[in-house]
Amino acid sequence: MLKQFKALIDDVLSDQKPTGLSPEEVQIACAALLVHCAMADGHKSDVEDAKLRAVLMERYGVSDADVGALIESAEQRVSDAGDLHKFTWVLHQNLDRDGRLEVVRLLWEIGHADANIDHDERAAVNLVASLLDVELADAVALRRRVEGRD
């Protein structure tokens, strides 16, 4: 029992990437966060849906035929999840700093799909950025770049 506890603590404190997570699990975690952002204000608009599809197809090379299934799976996981920690943990453990910054940039793109980042979207992105250990100044700089104000 003590060995198992020590192994768990070592895994949590280790800088090494966890083993056993497939690229698909990382992809679905990112998709879930993007879906969460698209639905931050209670619904996903057609513009947000189109941007979400485009981002997932470009970022992960998902085909037009498969992107709907990925989004549906991500929506179900977001609905089933009590919070975002599960998704951010997967990304935090499997992406380097640049990868985590890229996720935050993608979240801002989803939030800005309708040319207006509202309060709920801003709060959602800032929460995820915090959980991914992306500093506020970096998150703000990414938002400004997406808005064309850099």
Side-chain angles (χ1 to χ4, degrees):
M1 176 75 167
L2 188 58
K3 280 185 178 181
Q4 290 172 327
F5 182 70
K6 182 181 178 331
L8 176 64
I9 296 299
D10 288 344
D11 284 345
V12 170
L13 297 177
S14 158
D15 285 339
Q16 296 177 345
K17 304 288 185 214
T19 58
L21 290 178
S22 69
E24 292 79 20
E25 290 173 292
V26 175
Q27 178 182 347
I28 196 72
C30 183
L33 293 174
L34 295 171
V35 163
H36 174 76
C37 184
M39 299 176 73
D41 60 359
H43 71 284
K44 181 174 53 163
S45 70
D46 290 341
V47 173
E48 290 169 325
D49 185 59
K51 184 64 173 182
L52 178 63
R53 288 173 177 276
V55 164
L56 291 171
M57 289 168 55
E58 180 182 326
R59 169 82 175 159
Y60 292 108
V62 178
S63 71
D64 190 39
D66 294 334
V67 74
L70 174 59
I71 292 171
E72 186 177 311
S73 177
E75 287 172 342
Q76 185 61 50
R77 289 182 187 218
V78 168
S79 175
D80 292 345
D83 57 38
L84 302 177
H85 288 87
K86 174 181 177 179
F87 309 120
T88 57
W89 181 86
V90 168
L91 296 178
H92 194 278
Q93 295 298 313
N94 288 278
L95 299 177
D96 62 12
R97 181 178 183 276
D98 289 341
R100 295 190 313 271
L101 287 169
E102 176 67 6
V103 170
V104 172
R105 186 187 66 76
L106 294 174
L107 289 165
W108 285 128
E109 283 194 20
I110 298 299
H112 192 255
D114 59 1
N116 178 44
I117 299 173
D118 69 23
H119 174 74
D120 294 326
E121 292 163 335
R122 183 172 291 130
V125 177
N126 285 333
L127 172 63
V128 171
S130 174
L131 293 171
L132 291 175
D133 287 332
V134 171
E135 294 192 20
L136 181 59
D138 291 330
V140 169
L142 290 166
R143 184 188 82 223
R144 289 184 178 186
R145 189 166 74 197
V146 166
E147 292 175 327
R149 296 188 301 144
D150 59 348

